[in-house]
Amino acid sequence: MNRYDVVVLGAGAAGMMCAAEAGKRGRRVLVLDHADAPGEKIRISGGGRCNFTNIHAAPANFMSQNPSFCISALRRYTAADFVAMIERHGIAYHEKTLGQLFCDGSAMQIVTLLRDEMERHGAALRLGIRIDAIDKADTGFTLMVDGEEIACEALVVATGGRSIPKMGATGLGYEIATRFGMRLVEPRPGLVPLRLDPAMLERLQPIVGVTVEAATTSGKIRFDEGMLFTHRGLSGPSILQISSYWREGEEITIAMAPHTDVFDSLRSARERNGRQALQTALATVLPKRLAQVVIEAHPGPITLAECSDKILRQIDTAVNRWCFKPAGSEGYRTAEVTVGGVDTRDLDSRSMAAKGVPGLYFIGEVVDVTGWLGGYNFQWAWSSGWCAGQAA
């Protein structure tokens, strides 16, 4: 039987970070993953350049049943700490909008960094494996891995969520949590495009590919970012952001010209040139094709002079208070993250240790902590992985 101090399940961002940190403490570490290569979600993230953190990362950028749970980890290992490691490895990076940091080169630089850190501190990595069983022992755990028995004092679950199953995502982490009596917050797709019903899709077909800066609202949550009309519904940053908060059957409200008083703009245009077509005037506020779709949905007067204030207000509402119920989301197939997961009530916020199961830890996406789009989920991986690495 092979014995290790720490076995980490999952060679993603959180798992490799934890392994490197535990190795620094002199712990004998083994990382196991069923994939053929480590860090696959890192590799594809950010269009292949990896949005590895956000300089504004703070607890307010994360959702959880317990919003305060992430505070300790994010304060103990910050975005600045990870940036310092990036710089030590000589990786060039740049800031995009809203504090998002990307590699100048390939996202594989981040994977290489993590592998180098693990190797430097003695953490072993085994890929393409199958876990047949996990059992609690008197002092730690025993695992059956491809027919081989492995023992460890500490077991760290960094298996991620169910998002992007074609990359091998599974619900293993949730199964392990349930196996050891831990509670789950129901997992669901997050940061995912939303679908529209067939009738609405048919009406919006002429504007597939059109983008606008939009404000999307669900309940009290609002995001102001880009929105894209697609063949199946809506996507773009503002939609992906709100999707993590939206629940089936709820309405969302979209402002497609959030910084413009459309009624006032159209009324002013009417005063200047009443003979101007309503659609032409609206096209000064919205993309031309979108303006056409909005007007076609509200047939009536053609010129501004023929439009009463009531009609102009109806157009304003159609543009900046578009309320509807999405038909659903695109699901785990395209979701960037999984919302929900291991209930934080059962975890210690400083170490990520399971309160009722000595030696068991959960980190990263498998935990009920989900960040906004823009590097926040990677920062949670680094922070939670670091914390477990100090304790496991």
Side-chain angles (χ1 to χ4, degrees):
M1 179 188 297
N2 283 322
R3 296 184 179 275
Y4 293 87
D5 298 317
V6 182
V7 168
V8 179
L9 303 182
M16 289 193 284
M17 184 72 174
C18 175
E21 289 299 318
K24 287 181 184 178
R25 296 170 44 235
R27 303 284 277 169
R28 188 168 182 238
V29 182
L30 173 64
V31 181
L32 301 173
D33 201 301
H34 68 288
D36 294 327
E40 282 294 273
K41 287 187 82 171
I42 298 174
R43 180 182 62 81
I44 68 167
S45 67
R49 293 188 182 273
C50 188
N51 178 193
F52 57 81
T53 193
N54 193 297
I55 60 175
H56 304 306
N61 306 118
F62 296 82
M63 60 183 297
S64 171
Q65 294 278 60
N66 177 9
S68 65
F69 178 83
C70 64
I71 293 175
S72 176
L74 293 172
R75 285 181 176 173
R76 293 175 67 211
Y77 192 86
T78 67
D81 291 322
F82 192 75
V83 169
M85 184 161 68
I86 289 282
E87 293 176 345
R88 286 197 302 272
H89 282 256
I91 297 175
Y93 63 93
H94 59 279
E95 180 182 348
K96 285 192 176 180
T97 58
L98 305 174
Q100 302 169 35
L101 300 187
F102 289 77
C103 296
D104 286 356
S106 168
M108 285 303 297
Q109 292 176 290
I110 304 297
V111 177
T112 299
L113 176 157
L114 294 168
R115 293 196 69 166
D116 287 348
E117 286 287 313
M118 287 198 302
E119 184 176 345
R120 185 154 66 96
H121 299 292
L125 173 64
R126 287 177 57 179
L127 300 168
I129 58 88
R130 182 188 73 253
I131 297 174
D132 299 309
I134 300 173
D135 292 296
K136 188 76 177 72
D138 291 338
T139 56
F141 299 84
T142 58
L143 298 85
M144 289 300 296
V145 179
D146 289 335
E148 173 191 351
E149 190 172 16
I150 294 174
C152 61
E153 292 179 13
L155 179 65
V156 182
V157 181
T159 51
R162 292 197 177 104
S163 58
I164 318 185
K166 69 180 180 181
M167 296 182 62
T170 70
L172 176 62
Y174 310 135
E175 295 170 15
I176 295 171
T178 302
R179 160 84 170 76
F180 288 104
M182 303 181 69
R183 292 169 287 188
L184 296 179
V185 174
E186 182 182 2
R188 55 190 176 85
L191 298 181
V192 62
L194 297 177
R195 295 185 292 105
L196 300 177
D197 64 61
M200 189 176 293
L201 282 177
E202 183 177 358
R203 181 168 68 84
L204 299 180
Q205 184 64 30
I207 54 174
V208 168
V210 170
T211 62
V212 293
E213 288 298 313
T216 59
T217 304
S218 179
K220 297 180 180 179
I221 304 298
R222 168 175 163 155
F223 290 98
D224 291 54
E225 294 187 67
M227 182 179 76
L228 169 68
F229 292 90
T230 74
H231 288 286
R232 294 170 60 86
L234 300 172
S235 190
S238 67
I239 295 297
L240 299 184
Q241 297 277 38
I242 209 68
S243 72
S244 294
Y245 294 86
W246 172 78
R247 303 301 292 264
E248 293 275 351
E250 295 179 347
E251 282 192 337
I252 66 171
T253 301
I254 298 178
M256 295 181 286
H259 306 299
T260 301
D261 184 324
V262 175
F263 169 73
D264 186 63
S265 176
L266 293 177
R267 186 173 57 175
S268 297
R270 184 180 63 189
E271 292 173 357
R272 293 192 304 271
N273 181 9
R275 291 179 297 178
Q276 186 180 38
L278 174 58
Q279 181 178 317
T280 302
L282 187 59
T284 65
V285 174
L286 298 176
K288 185 177 179 179
R289 282 190 289 159
L290 177 55
Q292 179 179 349
V293 166
V294 171
I295 297 303
E296 288 176 350
H298 295 79
I302 295 175
T303 66
L304 288 169
E306 298 173 290
C307 294
S308 64
D309 281 1
K310 180 180 179 180
I311 291 173
L312 298 186
R313 289 192 185 280
Q314 289 174 350
I315 299 301
D316 178 89
T317 297
V319 173
N320 276 338
R321 286 179 294 282
W322 177 28
C323 297
F324 64 95
K325 291 181 181 179
S329 81
E330 290 288 1
Y332 290 118
R333 181 180 65 85
T334 60
E336 295 195 20
V337 295
T338 302
V339 178
V342 177
D343 197 320
T344 58
R345 290 177 297 176
D346 294 335
L347 300 176
D348 180 86
S349 63
R350 283 185 60 84
S351 65
M352 304 293 120
K355 292 178 179 178
V357 188
L360 183 62
Y361 300 78
F362 290 84
I363 59 175
E365 189 180 344
V366 73
V367 177
D368 175 36
V369 175
T370 305
W372 292 359
L373 185 72
Y376 298 102
N377 287 294
F378 273 124
Q379 186 56 47
W380 173 245
W382 314 137
S383 296
S384 60
W386 183 91
C387 287
Q390 311 310 305

